[in-house]
């Protein structure tokens, strides 16, 4: 997983809670990187899950809520990166559709052959976008948070629903986004 | 709080502030470093961009080719249309996450059929169609071919009762002017890459091309068969024409011969009758004269009494010979169509049965008779006596062809608008070279005095007069079958 996610999580904890909480969480986990992250590097996925699990326990927050909250927080960072690729984007759906290529490019910078999630889209009508999320990391709730962050950024109201979910044993997550 | 303590706290606060500033500077310098690293990484990525793009395209194309190759395997040319649709639908199902597949078929431009393949492991299931579904299918068929079309189903859509999901993909394929198919996919999402959607589109077009190719092959094969049949009919007709021509020439010749022989035979027969009468007169006169002769005179010619005894049988033999010649001439007349017998309604079974009665004595001790006559055959327009003559000829020939314990099978049946009669024996068979000449007059393979060689030629002429035809199949040492086909009058 790209280091930017780790550094983003550190910022999220520090901003939303405290620096000491982050330091405590890092100390509570046995991390190969010792919690020393560079945004440009790639780190073991397992480190992220350990940190997220420890945070969830310390904050007594369900993991889906934590991931979703982190997604919303992380959106501006993603937007900052995405602006390089599509400065003209003004709609939440248009943004979501370019996210897949943004993620790919960002990960490929660190390692051209590194694993990336796959996002596939379908737009049955103007007000609906269906996102098919395929990832061994099963971080669909983080993806939901990013979508909610994007909606907030573009000042649009959306409703999300998942008809299928990797965490429930399905082959993929199907996230239906409905504009309101 | 003492001054000392308050100084210590201020020092700590100052130290924390300094540390926070230091941390911020470290963070800023780290960010700057990361930015530089990112720029370097971007530069490296840009340098390898073409390679990565080519790699991704190759990977994507490989998947695309794998699927299309799989499809092509299901479209090999010796497969039937049903097998091709079956294979393509199964492949689609595998490609689209085991989605249920429907196949709607329109035949004769009016009649719809709908089948469902719920899962890859199941077989096709027939679905009863409502008028609404038929109307909807008729609407779908008007969509253009070569493209997958999409329809989102709501509760009012007639397909919503059949589909598990709310998205329907469908593809229209025209097989012929009167036959069309629609493949309908019941999918729960259509979140696929452009490459994937393109592959799906190409597969549909390839499949349509394969179906069209197969239809052309079927049509070519059908036309080829038709041409072969026409050629075969042409050859038969040509042979028949040549045969008819030969038979007509032989008929004319026979008629001439019959005419020429008829007169001399007439007066020879008449004269033989007169001669018989004259002989009686000579004989009576000689008897009277001999009574007046002395014994010595009566010994004048010992051969005279022998001649007197021998003459009547000789005359009788001549009469028999003349009768036989007259009968042959009569047969020749039939062959040359000189007779004008009346035609009427005839039951062929009756003609067969009466012919059997005639030849029964010849058959009953030596052979087995197997009659398979279809009851209540339609009547034909013909001459009972002539048909009887034909069957007698065939039965007698069969009897002569078989050694002891042969089997004669006579069968009658209706085939389409004809009555077919087969006469089969288990005899010695006919050599191929003889079959061609079988119906020629005077052609016989029988021993001298056993046959005139007119039986089958006369039969042939009779059969022709009935607008019927006769053919023969024979295998040496196995037997011969004559097949006669009579048209059933309208």
């Amino acid at each position: 997983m790209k280091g930017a996610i780790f550094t983003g999580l550190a910022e999220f904890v520090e901003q939303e809670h405290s620096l000491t909480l982050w330091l405590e969480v890092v100390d509570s986990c046995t991390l190969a990187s010792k919690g020393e992250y560079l945004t440009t590097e790639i780190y073991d996925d397992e480190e992220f899950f350990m940190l997220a699990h420890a945070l969830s326990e310390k904050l007594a927050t369900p993991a889906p809520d934590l991931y979703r909250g982190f997604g919303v927080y992380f959106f501006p960072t993603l937007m900052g990166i995405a602006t390089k690729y599509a400065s003209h984007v003004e709609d939440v759906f248009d943004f979501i559709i370019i996210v897949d290529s943004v993620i790919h490019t960002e990960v490929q910078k660190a390692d051209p052959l590194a694993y990336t999630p796959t996002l596939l889209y379908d737009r049955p009508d103007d007000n609906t976008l269906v996102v098919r999320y395929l990832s061994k990391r099963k971080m669909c709730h983080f993806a939901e948070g990013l979508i909610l962050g994007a909606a907030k950024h573009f000042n649009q109201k959306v409703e999300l629903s998942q008809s299928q979910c990797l965490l429930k044993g399905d082959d993929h997550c199907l996230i239906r986004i409905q504009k309101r | 709080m003492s001054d000392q303590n308050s100084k210590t706290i201020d020092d700590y606060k100052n130290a924390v502030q300094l540390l926070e500033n230091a941390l911020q500077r470290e963070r800023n310098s780290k960010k700057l470093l990361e930015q530089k690293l990112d720029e370097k990484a971007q530069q490296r990525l840009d340098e390898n961009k073409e390679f990565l793009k080519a790699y991704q395209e190759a990977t994507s194309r490989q998947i695309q080719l794998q699927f299309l190759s799989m499809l092509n395997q299901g479209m090999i040319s010796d497969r039937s249309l049903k097998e091709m649709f079956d294979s393509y639908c199964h492949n689609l199902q595998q490609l689209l996450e085991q989605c249920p597949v429907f196949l709607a078929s329109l035949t004769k431009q009016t009649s719809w059929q709908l089948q469902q393949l719920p899962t890859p492991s199941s077989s096709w299931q027939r679905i009863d169609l409502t008028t609404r579904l038929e109307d909807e299918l008729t609407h779908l068929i008007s969509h253009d071919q070569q493209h997958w079309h999409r329809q989102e189903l709501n509760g009012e859509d007639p397909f919503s009762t059949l589909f598990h999901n709310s998205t329907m993909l469908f593809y229209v394929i025209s097989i012929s002017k009167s036959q069309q198919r629609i493949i309908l996919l019941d999918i729960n999402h259509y979140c696929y890459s452009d490459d994937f959607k393109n592959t799906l589109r190409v597969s549909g077009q390839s499949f349509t091309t394969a179906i069209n190719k197969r239809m052309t092959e079927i049509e070519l094969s059908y036309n080829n068969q038709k041409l072969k049949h026409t050629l075969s009919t042409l050859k038969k007709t040509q042979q028949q024409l040549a045969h008819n021509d030969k038979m007509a020439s032989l008929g004319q010749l026979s008629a001439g011969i019959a005419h020429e022989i008829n007169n001399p035979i007439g007066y020879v027969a008449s004269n033989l009758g007169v001669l018989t009468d004259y002989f009686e007169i000579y004989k009576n006169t000689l008897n009277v004269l001999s009574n007046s002769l002395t014994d010595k005179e009566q010994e004048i010619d010992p051969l005279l009494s022998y001649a007197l005894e021998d003459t009547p049988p000789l005359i009788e033999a001549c009469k028999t010979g003349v009768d036989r010649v007259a009968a042959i001439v009569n047969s020749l007349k039939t062959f040359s169509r000189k007779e004008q017998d009346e035609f009427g309604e005839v039951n062929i079974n009756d003609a067969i049965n009466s012919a059997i009665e005639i030849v029964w004595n010849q058959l009953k001790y030596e052979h087995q008779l197997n009659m398979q006559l279809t009851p209540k055959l339609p009547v034909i327009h013909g001459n009972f006596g002539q048909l009887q003559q034909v069957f007698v000829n065939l039965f007698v020939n069969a009897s002569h062809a078989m050694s002891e314990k042969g089997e004669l099978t006579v069968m009658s049946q209706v085939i389409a608008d004809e009555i077919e009669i087969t006469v089969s024996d288990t005899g010695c068979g006919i050599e191929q070279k003889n079959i061609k000449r079988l119906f020629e007059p005077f052609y016989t393979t029988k021993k001298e005095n056993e046959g005139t060689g007119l039986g089958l030629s006369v039969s042939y002429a009779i059969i022709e007069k009935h607008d019927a035809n006769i053919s023969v199949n024979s295998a040496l040492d196995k037997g011969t079958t004559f097949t006669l086909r009579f048209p059933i009058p309208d």
Side-chain angles (χ1 to χ4, degrees), chain A residues 14 108-109 122 132 164, chain B residues 27 42 56 150 188 191:
Chain A
E14 194 181 331
Q108 278 179 349
K109 275 193 233 171
D122 180 33
R132 185 166 158 232
Q164 285 179 289
Chain B
R27 276 181 174 169
Q42 182 70 52
Q56 278 168 359
R150 175 192 186 151
N188 76 333
C191 300

Side-chain angles (χ1 to χ4, degrees), chain A residues 7 11 14 19 37-40 84-85 105 108-109 112-113 120-122 124 130 132 164 172 174, chain B residues 27 30-31 34 37-38 41-42 44-45 52 55-56 97 150 152 188-193 197:
Chain A
T7 57
E11 276 180 32
E14 194 181 331
L19 177 61
Y37 300 111
L38 283 176
T39 56
T40 49
K84 286 194 284 186
Y85 305 98
T105 311
Q108 278 179 349
K109 275 193 233 171
L113 300 177
L120 296 161
Y121 312 99
D122 180 33
V130 183
R132 185 166 158 232
Q164 285 179 289
H172 50 239
L174 272 187
Chain B
R27 276 181 174 169
K30 183 179 163 235
K31 275 190 179 167
E34 285 171 343
L37 280 171
D38 189 61
Q42 182 70 52
R44 199 171 58 226
L45 184 69
L52 287 170
Y55 175 77
Q56 278 168 359
E97 300 165 32
R150 175 192 186 151
E152 290 300 310
N188 76 333
H189 70 85
Y190 196 44
C191 300
Y192 293 106
S193 66
K197 288 175 184 174

Side-chain angles (χ1 to χ4, degrees), chain B residues 11 170 209 326 333 387 389:
Chain B
D11 286 348
F170 64 95
T209 308
K333 276 182 182 172
L387 290 173
Q389 189 184 344

Side-chain angles (χ1 to χ4, degrees), chain B residues 301-315:
Chain B
D301 192 355
L303 287 173
L304 183 63
S305 58
Y306 176 75
L308 284 171
E309 278 176 27
D310 200 29
T311 301
L314 283 178
I315 293 173

Side-chain angles (χ1 to χ4, degrees), chain A residues 144-159:
Chain A
E144 280 186 7
L146 287 174
I147 295 164
L148 292 171
K152 195 173 158 189
H153 174 84
F154 293 107
N155 203 22
Q156 288 173 309
K157 285 186 179 172
V158 294
E159 274 179 17

Side-chain angles (χ1 to χ4, degrees), chain A residues 64-158:
Chain A
D65 293 345
L66 182 75
Y67 276 91
R68 210 174 279 119
F70 173 47
V72 174
Y73 176 85
F74 193 72
F75 172 78
T77 309
L78 187 64
M79 183 67 196
I81 299 166
T83 313
K84 286 194 284 186
Y85 305 98
S87 53
H88 59 279
V89 175
E90 289 174 357
D91 178 76
V92 61
F93 286 178
D94 293 340
F95 175 80
I96 293 167
I97 286 168
I98 63 158
V99 160
D100 187 57
S101 62
V102 171
I103 295 171
H104 266 88
T105 311
E106 285 306 305
V107 174
Q108 278 179 349
K109 275 193 233 171
D111 178 359
L113 300 177
Y115 176 82
T116 52
T118 303
L119 295 170
L120 296 161
Y121 312 99
D122 180 33
R123 209 163 171 173
D125 59 66
D126 288 347
N127 290 320
T128 313
L129 180 73
V130 183
V131 180
R132 185 166 158 232
Y133 169 82
L134 290 147
S135 170
K136 63 177 184 181
R137 300 181 185 120
K138 303 180 183 178
M139 288 170 61
C140 54
H141 295 115
F142 176 60
E144 280 186 7
L146 287 174
I147 295 164
L148 292 171
K152 195 173 158 189
H153 174 84
F154 293 107
N155 203 22
Q156 288 173 309
K157 285 186 179 172
V158 294

